[in-house]
Amino acid sequence: MAEISAASPRETLLGRINWVDLGPFIALAVLVIVGFLVNPDFLSPTNLTNVITRSSFIAIIAVGATFVISSGGLDLSVGSMAAFVTGVMIMFMNALVPSLGANAIIAGMALVLCVGALCGLFNGLIVTIGKIEPFIVTLGTMGIFRALITFMSNGGTIPIDRSLREPFRPIYFGTLAGIPIPIIVSIVVALIGAFLLYKTKFGRRCAAVGANEEVARFSGISIPKIRTTAFVIQGVCVAIAAICYVPRLGAATPTTGLLWELQVITAVVIGGTALRGGKGRIWGTIAGAVILEMIANLMVLSDFISEYLVAAVQGVIIIIAMLVQRFSKAQP
């Protein structure tokens, strides 16, 4: 009996650990070890900084997607939306350069945040007022946004005005206390997202709507308001990512943001957020975005698998993550 009593507390402690929530961080640690074993240069500060910086775009958008998915929605339009708002921002700034000079950048940032929020509002209102499945709505807007950027660029490129390249450059290539600006921006976005999701009524209602729509409705929660707000947050996050993205390539093209929706959804799901809604994990999402970029980086450094198969690997990852979620739900 004494042996049973001594073993029980350890079993209880292990049983209390949520391995599904810890999964993304354990996977991240394993990837770091594997990366070092495959190629010691993987852990060089320069390589790690580049990997995390490149993952910032997906991480920022994925924070918004965490709200949409945890509320029971899905947004397939984020990649096309990113291309569209980037094009609008560049065209607007270029038009203002003669009158505002470098200050056109600030005006462009303000505009793109508004356009991103409006795009999210558009998606949210069609879903909630039109009562159409988010999958169908955002599949449609994905085509609309992609067609608009193709039309705006006439099938080519919308480059940023040469006079704006140098003053805009620090947004992506600059550092603060040695940390690249995109990483700082993604951390700030994640902190705000974590506060909204974990510490506010809106965050709790988001999860409640995603967990059980009928119960949430009988509890007095406005489902259209919560879901529309989640889509607006998604649009703002896409706009923030676009602001960080413009200095990197200095242009918008019809292929900008291609397949970002797959990366974003994969990052959210492997981060521990339930694809069916009811559960959101902001920091897991950030870890998921870094994991995806690390895997892509490993594929380049190792030559084990062609880098052209990155999207295929991401597809496999999202299927495995879904199987893990289903398996964990099946446990008593």
Side-chain angles (χ1 to χ4, degrees):
M1 290 296 292
E3 290 181 357
I4 294 175
S5 300
S8 295
R10 288 199 297 271
E11 292 174 357
T12 304
L13 179 62
L14 289 174
R16 288 177 181 174
I17 296 176
N18 191 329
W19 295 104
V20 175
D21 287 348
L22 283 179
F25 304 101
I26 295 173
L28 199 57
V30 171
L31 267 179
V32 169
I33 295 171
V34 171
F36 176 73
L37 294 176
V38 169
N39 190 330
D41 290 337
F42 178 78
L43 283 186
S44 68
T46 302
N47 186 58
L48 284 181
T49 302
N50 287 336
V51 167
I52 299 174
T53 303
R54 285 199 300 270
S55 70
S56 298
F57 306 116
I58 298 301
I60 292 169
I61 298 174
V63 168
T66 303
F67 285 93
V68 172
I69 293 176
S70 64
S71 67
L74 190 67
D75 194 340
L76 298 177
S77 70
V78 290
S80 302
M81 189 192 299
F84 171 64
V85 299
T86 300
V88 170
M89 179 185 181
I90 291 176
M91 292 177 73
F92 184 69
M93 289 191 302
N94 290 349
L96 291 182
V97 165
S99 56
L100 296 181
N103 289 329
I105 294 173
I106 298 173
M109 289 179 180
L111 176 78
V112 77
L113 289 173
C114 294
V115 174
L118 287 174
C119 290
L121 181 66
F122 183 65
N123 279 338
L125 289 178
I126 297 177
V127 169
T128 55
I129 296 178
K131 299 188 184 304
I132 303 173
E133 288 295 322
F135 170 80
I136 301 298
V137 171
T138 56
L139 190 63
T141 54
M142 177 176 70
I144 293 172
F145 293 140
R146 188 64 67 188
L148 286 175
I149 182 63
T150 305
F151 172 75
M152 290 159 54
S153 65
N154 199 22
T157 303
I158 304 176
I160 188 172
D161 191 280
R162 286 184 178 276
S163 65
L164 296 178
R165 291 185 178 178
E166 197 57 34
F168 211 157
R169 183 179 170 82
I171 298 295
Y172 180 78
F173 295 98
T175 61
L176 187 62
I179 304 172
I181 298 295
I183 296 178
I184 294 174
V185 173
S186 62
I187 292 173
V188 171
V189 170
L191 284 171
I192 296 172
F195 176 78
L196 285 175
L197 190 62
Y198 303 139
K199 301 294 183 184
T200 66
K201 283 184 181 178
F202 168 73
R204 290 190 288 274
R205 288 175 176 177
C206 236
V209 169
N212 193 316
E213 189 173 321
E214 289 303 314
V215 172
R217 182 178 290 109
F218 286 123
S219 300
I221 297 175
S222 172
I223 294 172
K225 182 179 178 182
I226 295 297
R227 283 194 170 149
T228 302
T229 305
F231 274 102
V232 171
I233 292 173
Q234 173 72 94
V236 171
C237 287
V238 169
I240 294 171
I243 291 172
C244 295
Y245 178 81
V246 169
R248 182 184 176 189
L249 296 181
T253 71
T255 59
T256 297
L258 202 63
L259 291 181
W260 278 12
E261 54 276 353
L262 174 62
Q263 296 181 53
V264 166
I265 294 171
T266 306
V268 172
V269 172
I270 66 178
T273 295
L275 193 56
R276 291 179 180 275
K279 176 185 174 185
R281 295 289 181 268
I282 294 292
W283 297 111
T285 293
I286 298 294
V290 177
I291 286 172
L292 291 180
E293 195 59 45
M294 274 193 175
I295 290 173
N297 183 248
L298 266 174
M299 291 171 68
V300 173
L301 291 178
S302 66
D303 291 331
F304 287 161
I305 306 175
S306 170
E307 58 185 291
Y308 297 120
L309 293 175
V310 168
V313 172
Q314 290 170 349
V316 171
I317 291 172
I318 193 170
I319 291 172
I320 293 174
M322 288 303 302
L323 289 173
V324 169
Q325 286 191 6
R326 181 171 292 275
F327 177 75
S328 63
K329 281 182 179 178
Q331 298 301 309

PDB file of all heavy atoms in Angstrom, residues 191-226:
ATOM      1  N   LEU A 191       1.564  39.446 -27.714  1.00  0.00           N
ATOM      2  CA  LEU A 191       1.218  39.875 -26.348  1.00  0.00           C
ATOM      3  C   LEU A 191      -0.193  40.462 -26.313  1.00  0.00           C
ATOM      4  O   LEU A 191      -0.984  40.150 -25.412  1.00  0.00           O
ATOM      5  CB  LEU A 191       2.237  40.907 -25.857  1.00  0.00           C
ATOM      6  CG  LEU A 191       3.605  40.356 -25.429  1.00  0.00           C
ATOM      7  CD1 LEU A 191       4.589  41.502 -25.188  1.00  0.00           C
ATOM      8  CD2 LEU A 191       3.469  39.497 -24.174  1.00  0.00           C
ATOM      9  N   ILE A 192      -0.495  41.314 -27.295  1.00  0.00           N
ATOM     10  CA  ILE A 192      -1.846  41.899 -27.351  1.00  0.00           C
ATOM     11  C   ILE A 192      -2.883  40.806 -27.593  1.00  0.00           C
ATOM     12  O   ILE A 192      -3.949  40.783 -26.953  1.00  0.00           O
ATOM     13  CB  ILE A 192      -1.914  42.976 -28.459  1.00  0.00           C
ATOM     14  CG1 ILE A 192      -0.981  44.147 -28.120  1.00  0.00           C
ATOM     15  CG2 ILE A 192      -3.345  43.477 -28.635  1.00  0.00           C
ATOM     16  CD1 ILE A 192      -0.831  45.166 -29.240  1.00  0.00           C
ATOM     17  N   GLY A 193      -2.551  39.880 -28.504  1.00  0.00           N
ATOM     18  CA  GLY A 193      -3.470  38.775 -28.787  1.00  0.00           C
ATOM     19  C   GLY A 193      -3.700  37.907 -27.568  1.00  0.00           C
ATOM     20  O   GLY A 193      -4.841  37.501 -27.292  1.00  0.00           O
ATOM     21  N   ALA A 194      -2.610  37.601 -26.838  1.00  0.00           N
ATOM     22  CA  ALA A 194      -2.747  36.762 -25.633  1.00  0.00           C
ATOM     23  C   ALA A 194      -3.601  37.465 -24.580  1.00  0.00           C
ATOM     24  O   ALA A 194      -4.426  36.829 -23.903  1.00  0.00           O
ATOM     25  CB  ALA A 194      -1.366  36.448 -25.071  1.00  0.00           C
ATOM     26  N   PHE A 195      -3.417  38.788 -24.445  1.00  0.00           N
ATOM     27  CA  PHE A 195      -4.230  39.534 -23.479  1.00  0.00           C
ATOM     28  C   PHE A 195      -5.710  39.476 -23.864  1.00  0.00           C
ATOM     29  O   PHE A 195      -6.579  39.211 -23.018  1.00  0.00           O
ATOM     30  CB  PHE A 195      -3.752  40.987 -23.415  1.00  0.00           C
ATOM     31  CG  PHE A 195      -4.591  41.865 -22.525  1.00  0.00           C
ATOM     32  CD1 PHE A 195      -4.451  41.811 -21.152  1.00  0.00           C
ATOM     33  CD2 PHE A 195      -5.540  42.720 -23.075  1.00  0.00           C
ATOM     34  CE1 PHE A 195      -5.247  42.603 -20.326  1.00  0.00           C
ATOM     35  CE2 PHE A 195      -6.335  43.512 -22.261  1.00  0.00           C
ATOM     36  CZ  PHE A 195      -6.189  43.453 -20.882  1.00  0.00           C
ATOM     37  N   LEU A 196      -5.983  39.717 -25.153  1.00  0.00           N
ATOM     38  CA  LEU A 196      -7.388  39.695 -25.610  1.00  0.00           C
ATOM     39  C   LEU A 196      -8.017  38.313 -25.429  1.00  0.00           C
ATOM     40  O   LEU A 196      -9.170  38.195 -24.988  1.00  0.00           O
ATOM     41  CB  LEU A 196      -7.463  40.097 -27.086  1.00  0.00           C
ATOM     42  CG  LEU A 196      -7.292  41.577 -27.415  1.00  0.00           C
ATOM     43  CD1 LEU A 196      -7.274  41.778 -28.927  1.00  0.00           C
ATOM     44  CD2 LEU A 196      -8.416  42.397 -26.788  1.00  0.00           C
ATOM     45  N   LEU A 197      -7.248  37.267 -25.758  1.00  0.00           N
ATOM     46  CA  LEU A 197      -7.821  35.921 -25.743  1.00  0.00           C
ATOM     47  C   LEU A 197      -7.959  35.355 -24.333  1.00  0.00           C
ATOM     48  O   LEU A 197      -8.933  34.664 -24.024  1.00  0.00           O
ATOM     49  CB  LEU A 197      -6.942  34.988 -26.589  1.00  0.00           C
ATOM     50  CG  LEU A 197      -7.533  33.606 -26.878  1.00  0.00           C
ATOM     51  CD1 LEU A 197      -8.821  33.724 -27.688  1.00  0.00           C
ATOM     52  CD2 LEU A 197      -6.533  32.737 -27.632  1.00  0.00           C
ATOM     53  N   TYR A 198      -6.981  35.657 -23.466  1.00  0.00           N
ATOM     54  CA  TYR A 198      -6.971  35.015 -22.142  1.00  0.00           C
ATOM     55  C   TYR A 198      -7.527  35.889 -21.017  1.00  0.00           C
ATOM     56  O   TYR A 198      -7.941  35.369 -19.989  1.00  0.00           O
ATOM     57  CB  TYR A 198      -5.548  34.599 -21.773  1.00  0.00           C
ATOM     58  CG  TYR A 198      -4.896  33.671 -22.764  1.00  0.00           C
ATOM     59  CD1 TYR A 198      -3.561  33.829 -23.125  1.00  0.00           C
ATOM     60  CD2 TYR A 198      -5.608  32.620 -23.347  1.00  0.00           C
ATOM     61  CE1 TYR A 198      -2.958  32.975 -24.038  1.00  0.00           C
ATOM     62  CE2 TYR A 198      -5.013  31.775 -24.256  1.00  0.00           C
ATOM     63  CZ  TYR A 198      -3.696  31.948 -24.597  1.00  0.00           C
ATOM     64  OH  TYR A 198      -3.103  31.105 -25.501  1.00  0.00           O
ATOM     65  N   LYS A 199      -7.503  37.221 -21.206  1.00  0.00           N
ATOM     66  CA  LYS A 199      -7.822  38.106 -20.084  1.00  0.00           C
ATOM     67  C   LYS A 199      -9.073  38.947 -20.279  1.00  0.00           C
ATOM     68  O   LYS A 199      -9.408  39.760 -19.410  1.00  0.00           O
ATOM     69  CB  LYS A 199      -6.631  39.053 -19.811  1.00  0.00           C
ATOM     70  CG  LYS A 199      -5.324  38.351 -19.488  1.00  0.00           C
ATOM     71  CD  LYS A 199      -5.408  37.607 -18.164  1.00  0.00           C
ATOM     72  CE  LYS A 199      -4.066  36.966 -17.826  1.00  0.00           C
ATOM     73  NZ  LYS A 199      -4.159  36.152 -16.573  1.00  0.00           N
ATOM     74  N   THR A 200      -9.731  38.820 -21.409  1.00  0.00           N
ATOM     75  CA  THR A 200     -10.904  39.665 -21.640  1.00  0.00           C
ATOM     76  C   THR A 200     -12.164  38.811 -21.870  1.00  0.00           C
ATOM     77  O   THR A 200     -12.065  37.624 -22.210  1.00  0.00           O
ATOM     78  CB  THR A 200     -10.708  40.585 -22.873  1.00  0.00           C
ATOM     79  OG1 THR A 200     -10.632  39.770 -24.048  1.00  0.00           O
ATOM     80  CG2 THR A 200      -9.438  41.410 -22.745  1.00  0.00           C
ATOM     81  N   LYS A 201     -13.305  39.449 -21.714  1.00  0.00           N
ATOM     82  CA  LYS A 201     -14.571  38.765 -21.972  1.00  0.00           C
ATOM     83  C   LYS A 201     -14.655  38.323 -23.426  1.00  0.00           C
ATOM     84  O   LYS A 201     -15.191  37.269 -23.740  1.00  0.00           O
ATOM     85  CB  LYS A 201     -15.750  39.700 -21.647  1.00  0.00           C
ATOM     86  CG  LYS A 201     -16.039  39.845 -20.173  1.00  0.00           C
ATOM     87  CD  LYS A 201     -17.285  40.709 -19.991  1.00  0.00           C
ATOM     88  CE  LYS A 201     -17.579  40.877 -18.505  1.00  0.00           C
ATOM     89  NZ  LYS A 201     -18.765  41.757 -18.297  1.00  0.00           N
ATOM     90  N   PHE A 202     -14.131  39.188 -24.311  1.00  0.00           N
ATOM     91  CA  PHE A 202     -14.183  38.854 -25.734  1.00  0.00           C
ATOM     92  C   PHE A 202     -13.473  37.535 -26.019  1.00  0.00           C
ATOM     93  O   PHE A 202     -13.981  36.686 -26.755  1.00  0.00           O
ATOM     94  CB  PHE A 202     -13.550  39.978 -26.558  1.00  0.00           C
ATOM     95  CG  PHE A 202     -13.306  39.602 -27.991  1.00  0.00           C
ATOM     96  CD1 PHE A 202     -14.366  39.498 -28.881  1.00  0.00           C
ATOM     97  CD2 PHE A 202     -12.010  39.325 -28.437  1.00  0.00           C
ATOM     98  CE1 PHE A 202     -14.145  39.122 -30.205  1.00  0.00           C
ATOM     99  CE2 PHE A 202     -11.792  38.957 -29.748  1.00  0.00           C
ATOM    100  CZ  PHE A 202     -12.860  38.856 -30.634  1.00  0.00           C
ATOM    101  N   GLY A 203     -12.281  37.355 -25.420  1.00  0.00           N
ATOM    102  CA  GLY A 203     -11.529  36.126 -25.645  1.00  0.00           C
ATOM    103  C   GLY A 203     -12.280  34.899 -25.141  1.00  0.00           C
ATOM    104  O   GLY A 203     -12.344  33.874 -25.829  1.00  0.00           O
ATOM    105  N   ARG A 204     -12.856  35.016 -23.955  1.00  0.00           N
ATOM    106  CA  ARG A 204     -13.604  33.873 -23.401  1.00  0.00           C
ATOM    107  C   ARG A 204     -14.854  33.596 -24.239  1.00  0.00           C
ATOM    108  O   ARG A 204     -15.231  32.434 -24.435  1.00  0.00           O
ATOM    109  CB  ARG A 204     -13.985  34.166 -21.939  1.00  0.00           C
ATOM    110  CG  ARG A 204     -12.785  34.173 -20.993  1.00  0.00           C
ATOM    111  CD  ARG A 204     -13.229  34.223 -19.539  1.00  0.00           C
ATOM    112  NE  ARG A 204     -13.759  35.538 -19.180  1.00  0.00           N
ATOM    113  CZ  ARG A 204     -13.023  36.558 -18.768  1.00  0.00           C
ATOM    114  NH1 ARG A 204     -11.717  36.425 -18.664  1.00  0.00           N
ATOM    115  NH2 ARG A 204     -13.568  37.712 -18.455  1.00  0.00           N
ATOM    116  N   ARG A 205     -15.485  34.654 -24.733  1.00  0.00           N
ATOM    117  CA  ARG A 205     -16.677  34.463 -25.554  1.00  0.00           C
ATOM    118  C   ARG A 205     -16.310  33.872 -26.917  1.00  0.00           C
ATOM    119  O   ARG A 205     -17.097  33.140 -27.521  1.00  0.00           O
ATOM    120  CB  ARG A 205     -17.413  35.801 -25.713  1.00  0.00           C
ATOM    121  CG  ARG A 205     -18.088  36.230 -24.426  1.00  0.00           C
ATOM    122  CD  ARG A 205     -18.716  37.597 -24.521  1.00  0.00           C
ATOM    123  NE  ARG A 205     -19.435  37.921 -23.280  1.00  0.00           N
ATOM    124  CZ  ARG A 205     -20.027  39.062 -23.043  1.00  0.00           C
ATOM    125  NH1 ARG A 205     -20.000  40.022 -23.965  1.00  0.00           N
ATOM    126  NH2 ARG A 205     -20.654  39.269 -21.905  1.00  0.00           N
ATOM    127  N   CYS A 206     -15.126  34.235 -27.404  1.00  0.00           N
ATOM    128  CA  CYS A 206     -14.636  33.662 -28.663  1.00  0.00           C
ATOM    129  C   CYS A 206     -14.603  32.133 -28.539  1.00  0.00           C
ATOM    130  O   CYS A 206     -15.091  31.407 -29.412  1.00  0.00           O
ATOM    131  CB  CYS A 206     -13.227  34.193 -28.931  1.00  0.00           C
ATOM    132  SG  CYS A 206     -13.039  35.007 -30.510  1.00  0.00           S
ATOM    133  N   ALA A 207     -13.967  31.661 -27.473  1.00  0.00           N
ATOM    134  CA  ALA A 207     -13.850  30.221 -27.259  1.00  0.00           C
ATOM    135  C   ALA A 207     -15.225  29.591 -27.017  1.00  0.00           C
ATOM    136  O   ALA A 207     -15.501  28.481 -27.487  1.00  0.00           O
ATOM    137  CB  ALA A 207     -12.925  29.950 -26.078  1.00  0.00           C
ATOM    138  N   ALA A 208     -16.092  30.323 -26.301  1.00  0.00           N
ATOM    139  CA  ALA A 208     -17.424  29.787 -26.008  1.00  0.00           C
ATOM    140  C   ALA A 208     -18.244  29.612 -27.289  1.00  0.00           C
ATOM    141  O   ALA A 208     -18.917  28.599 -27.476  1.00  0.00           O
ATOM    142  CB  ALA A 208     -18.160  30.723 -25.044  1.00  0.00           C
ATOM    143  N   VAL A 209     -18.159  30.596 -28.180  1.00  0.00           N
ATOM    144  CA  VAL A 209     -18.889  30.510 -29.458  1.00  0.00           C
ATOM    145  C   VAL A 209     -18.369  29.346 -30.292  1.00  0.00           C
ATOM    146  O   VAL A 209     -19.127  28.597 -30.910  1.00  0.00           O
ATOM    147  CB  VAL A 209     -18.755  31.838 -30.241  1.00  0.00           C
ATOM    148  CG1 VAL A 209     -19.264  31.683 -31.663  1.00  0.00           C
ATOM    149  CG2 VAL A 209     -19.508  32.943 -29.524  1.00  0.00           C
ATOM    150  N   GLY A 210     -17.030  29.174 -30.287  1.00  0.00           N
ATOM    151  CA  GLY A 210     -16.451  28.084 -31.058  1.00  0.00           C
ATOM    152  C   GLY A 210     -16.751  26.718 -30.470  1.00  0.00           C
ATOM    153  O   GLY A 210     -16.883  25.734 -31.191  1.00  0.00           O
ATOM    154  N   ALA A 211     -16.865  26.663 -29.128  1.00  0.00           N
ATOM    155  CA  ALA A 211     -17.089  25.369 -28.471  1.00  0.00           C
ATOM    156  C   ALA A 211     -18.510  24.871 -28.694  1.00  0.00           C
ATOM    157  O   ALA A 211     -18.735  23.702 -29.013  1.00  0.00           O
ATOM    158  CB  ALA A 211     -16.784  25.490 -26.982  1.00  0.00           C
ATOM    159  N   ASN A 212     -19.480  25.758 -28.502  1.00  0.00           N
ATOM    160  CA  ASN A 212     -20.878  25.350 -28.659  1.00  0.00           C
ATOM    161  C   ASN A 212     -21.715  26.593 -28.942  1.00  0.00           C
ATOM    162  O   ASN A 212     -22.014  27.380 -28.040  1.00  0.00           O
ATOM    163  CB  ASN A 212     -21.385  24.649 -27.393  1.00  0.00           C
ATOM    164  CG  ASN A 212     -22.712  23.941 -27.639  1.00  0.00           C
ATOM    165  OD1 ASN A 212     -23.613  24.482 -28.264  1.00  0.00           O
ATOM    166  ND2 ASN A 212     -22.809  22.709 -27.164  1.00  0.00           N
ATOM    167  N   GLU A 213     -22.097  26.738 -30.189  1.00  0.00           N
ATOM    168  CA  GLU A 213     -22.798  27.945 -30.631  1.00  0.00           C
ATOM    169  C   GLU A 213     -24.151  28.095 -29.930  1.00  0.00           C
ATOM    170  O   GLU A 213     -24.536  29.197 -29.520  1.00  0.00           O
ATOM    171  CB  GLU A 213     -22.989  27.876 -32.147  1.00  0.00           C
ATOM    172  CG  GLU A 213     -23.513  29.156 -32.755  1.00  0.00           C
ATOM    173  CD  GLU A 213     -23.530  29.092 -34.269  1.00  0.00           C
ATOM    174  OE1 GLU A 213     -22.584  28.529 -34.849  1.00  0.00           O
ATOM    175  OE2 GLU A 213     -24.503  29.601 -34.855  1.00  0.00           O
ATOM    176  N   GLU A 214     -24.861  26.987 -29.767  1.00  0.00           N
ATOM    177  CA  GLU A 214     -26.202  27.054 -29.161  1.00  0.00           C
ATOM    178  C   GLU A 214     -26.124  27.478 -27.698  1.00  0.00           C
ATOM    179  O   GLU A 214     -26.895  28.322 -27.233  1.00  0.00           O
ATOM    180  CB  GLU A 214     -26.889  25.691 -29.279  1.00  0.00           C
ATOM    181  CG  GLU A 214     -27.316  25.339 -30.695  1.00  0.00           C
ATOM    182  CD  GLU A 214     -28.240  26.397 -31.296  1.00  0.00           C
ATOM    183  OE1 GLU A 214     -29.182  26.816 -30.595  1.00  0.00           O
ATOM    184  OE2 GLU A 214     -28.016  26.811 -32.438  1.00  0.00           O
ATOM    185  N   VAL A 215     -25.192  26.868 -26.955  1.00  0.00           N
ATOM    186  CA  VAL A 215     -25.025  27.222 -25.541  1.00  0.00           C
ATOM    187  C   VAL A 215     -24.626  28.690 -25.413  1.00  0.00           C
ATOM    188  O   VAL A 215     -25.136  29.413 -24.539  1.00  0.00           O
ATOM    189  CB  VAL A 215     -23.967  26.316 -24.881  1.00  0.00           C
ATOM    190  CG1 VAL A 215     -23.650  26.797 -23.467  1.00  0.00           C
ATOM    191  CG2 VAL A 215     -24.438  24.862 -24.860  1.00  0.00           C
ATOM    192  N   ALA A 216     -23.715  29.134 -26.301  1.00  0.00           N
ATOM    193  CA  ALA A 216     -23.279  30.529 -26.257  1.00  0.00           C
ATOM    194  C   ALA A 216     -24.454  31.467 -26.530  1.00  0.00           C
ATOM    195  O   ALA A 216     -24.612  32.510 -25.872  1.00  0.00           O
ATOM    196  CB  ALA A 216     -22.179  30.750 -27.293  1.00  0.00           C
ATOM    197  N   ARG A 217     -25.316  31.096 -27.471  1.00  0.00           N
ATOM    198  CA  ARG A 217     -26.471  31.946 -27.800  1.00  0.00           C
ATOM    199  C   ARG A 217     -27.418  32.044 -26.613  1.00  0.00           C
ATOM    200  O   ARG A 217     -27.882  33.139 -26.261  1.00  0.00           O
ATOM    201  CB  ARG A 217     -27.208  31.374 -29.009  1.00  0.00           C
ATOM    202  CG  ARG A 217     -28.406  32.241 -29.436  1.00  0.00           C
ATOM    203  CD  ARG A 217     -29.113  31.692 -30.656  1.00  0.00           C
ATOM    204  NE  ARG A 217     -28.319  31.829 -31.862  1.00  0.00           N
ATOM    205  CZ  ARG A 217     -27.746  30.830 -32.514  1.00  0.00           C
ATOM    206  NH1 ARG A 217     -27.892  29.586 -32.064  1.00  0.00           N
ATOM    207  NH2 ARG A 217     -27.045  31.036 -33.589  1.00  0.00           N
ATOM    208  N   PHE A 218     -27.681  30.904 -25.962  1.00  0.00           N
ATOM    209  CA  PHE A 218     -28.577  30.919 -24.795  1.00  0.00           C
ATOM    210  C   PHE A 218     -27.951  31.628 -23.595  1.00  0.00           C
ATOM    211  O   PHE A 218     -28.646  32.014 -22.660  1.00  0.00           O
ATOM    212  CB  PHE A 218     -28.973  29.492 -24.418  1.00  0.00           C
ATOM    213  CG  PHE A 218     -29.976  28.890 -25.364  1.00  0.00           C
ATOM    214  CD1 PHE A 218     -29.703  27.698 -26.033  1.00  0.00           C
ATOM    215  CD2 PHE A 218     -31.193  29.516 -25.610  1.00  0.00           C
ATOM    216  CE1 PHE A 218     -30.628  27.149 -26.915  1.00  0.00           C
ATOM    217  CE2 PHE A 218     -32.121  28.974 -26.481  1.00  0.00           C
ATOM    218  CZ  PHE A 218     -31.843  27.795 -27.148  1.00  0.00           C
ATOM    219  N   SER A 219     -26.620  31.779 -23.624  1.00  0.00           N
ATOM    220  CA  SER A 219     -25.931  32.500 -22.548  1.00  0.00           C
ATOM    221  C   SER A 219     -25.937  34.004 -22.778  1.00  0.00           C
ATOM    222  O   SER A 219     -25.362  34.764 -21.986  1.00  0.00           O
ATOM    223  CB  SER A 219     -24.479  32.013 -22.434  1.00  0.00           C
ATOM    224  OG  SER A 219     -24.443  30.626 -22.145  1.00  0.00           O
ATOM    225  N   GLY A 220     -26.544  34.430 -23.867  1.00  0.00           N
ATOM    226  CA  GLY A 220     -26.652  35.864 -24.138  1.00  0.00           C
ATOM    227  C   GLY A 220     -25.489  36.438 -24.925  1.00  0.00           C
ATOM    228  O   GLY A 220     -25.338  37.665 -25.015  1.00  0.00           O
ATOM    229  N   ILE A 221     -24.666  35.584 -25.488  1.00  0.00           N
ATOM    230  CA  ILE A 221     -23.515  36.065 -26.269  1.00  0.00           C
ATOM    231  C   ILE A 221     -23.970  36.355 -27.701  1.00  0.00           C
ATOM    232  O   ILE A 221     -24.660  35.530 -28.318  1.00  0.00           O
ATOM    233  CB  ILE A 221     -22.381  35.015 -26.283  1.00  0.00           C
ATOM    234  CG1 ILE A 221     -21.862  34.789 -24.856  1.00  0.00           C
ATOM    235  CG2 ILE A 221     -21.240  35.453 -27.192  1.00  0.00           C
ATOM    236  CD1 ILE A 221     -20.832  33.685 -24.744  1.00  0.00           C
ATOM    237  N   SER A 222     -23.572  37.529 -28.191  1.00  0.00           N
ATOM    238  CA  SER A 222     -23.900  37.892 -29.575  1.00  0.00           C
ATOM    239  C   SER A 222     -22.904  37.203 -30.505  1.00  0.00           C
ATOM    240  O   SER A 222     -21.762  37.653 -30.671  1.00  0.00           O
ATOM    241  CB  SER A 222     -23.834  39.417 -29.760  1.00  0.00           C
ATOM    242  OG  SER A 222     -23.963  39.732 -31.130  1.00  0.00           O
ATOM    243  N   ILE A 223     -23.337  36.125 -31.123  1.00  0.00           N
ATOM    244  CA  ILE A 223     -22.439  35.355 -31.981  1.00  0.00           C
ATOM    245  C   ILE A 223     -21.980  36.152 -33.199  1.00  0.00           C
ATOM    246  O   ILE A 223     -20.783  36.157 -33.531  1.00  0.00           O
ATOM    247  CB  ILE A 223     -23.117  34.030 -32.391  1.00  0.00           C
ATOM    248  CG1 ILE A 223     -23.287  33.166 -31.140  1.00  0.00           C
ATOM    249  CG2 ILE A 223     -22.303  33.288 -33.443  1.00  0.00           C
ATOM    250  CD1 ILE A 223     -24.098  31.929 -31.344  1.00  0.00           C
ATOM    251  N   PRO A 224     -22.891  36.882 -33.896  1.00  0.00           N
ATOM    252  CA  PRO A 224     -22.423  37.695 -35.037  1.00  0.00           C
ATOM    253  C   PRO A 224     -21.360  38.718 -34.632  1.00  0.00           C
ATOM    254  O   PRO A 224     -20.380  38.920 -35.357  1.00  0.00           O
ATOM    255  CB  PRO A 224     -23.702  38.380 -35.523  1.00  0.00           C
ATOM    256  CG  PRO A 224     -24.805  37.474 -35.093  1.00  0.00           C
ATOM    257  CD  PRO A 224     -24.363  36.921 -33.775  1.00  0.00           C
ATOM    258  N   LYS A 225     -21.556  39.346 -33.467  1.00  0.00           N
ATOM    259  CA  LYS A 225     -20.600  40.366 -33.026  1.00  0.00           C
ATOM    260  C   LYS A 225     -19.234  39.752 -32.748  1.00  0.00           C
ATOM    261  O   LYS A 225     -18.191  40.301 -33.166  1.00  0.00           O
ATOM    262  CB  LYS A 225     -21.142  41.045 -31.756  1.00  0.00           C
ATOM    263  CG  LYS A 225     -20.266  42.159 -31.235  1.00  0.00           C
ATOM    264  CD  LYS A 225     -20.895  42.780 -29.990  1.00  0.00           C
ATOM    265  CE  LYS A 225     -20.012  43.867 -29.407  1.00  0.00           C
ATOM    266  NZ  LYS A 225     -20.603  44.439 -28.171  1.00  0.00           N
ATOM    267  N   ILE A 226     -19.216  38.626 -32.053  1.00  0.00           N
ATOM    268  CA  ILE A 226     -17.943  37.983 -31.701  1.00  0.00           C
ATOM    269  C   ILE A 226     -17.213  37.515 -32.962  1.00  0.00           C
ATOM    270  O   ILE A 226     -16.016  37.763 -33.142  1.00  0.00           O
ATOM    271  CB  ILE A 226     -18.198  36.784 -30.755  1.00  0.00           C
ATOM    272  CG1 ILE A 226     -18.761  37.277 -29.413  1.00  0.00           C
ATOM    273  CG2 ILE A 226     -16.902  36.006 -30.540  1.00  0.00           C
ATOM    274  CD1 ILE A 226     -17.837  38.168 -28.635  1.00  0.00           C
TER     275      ILE A 226
END
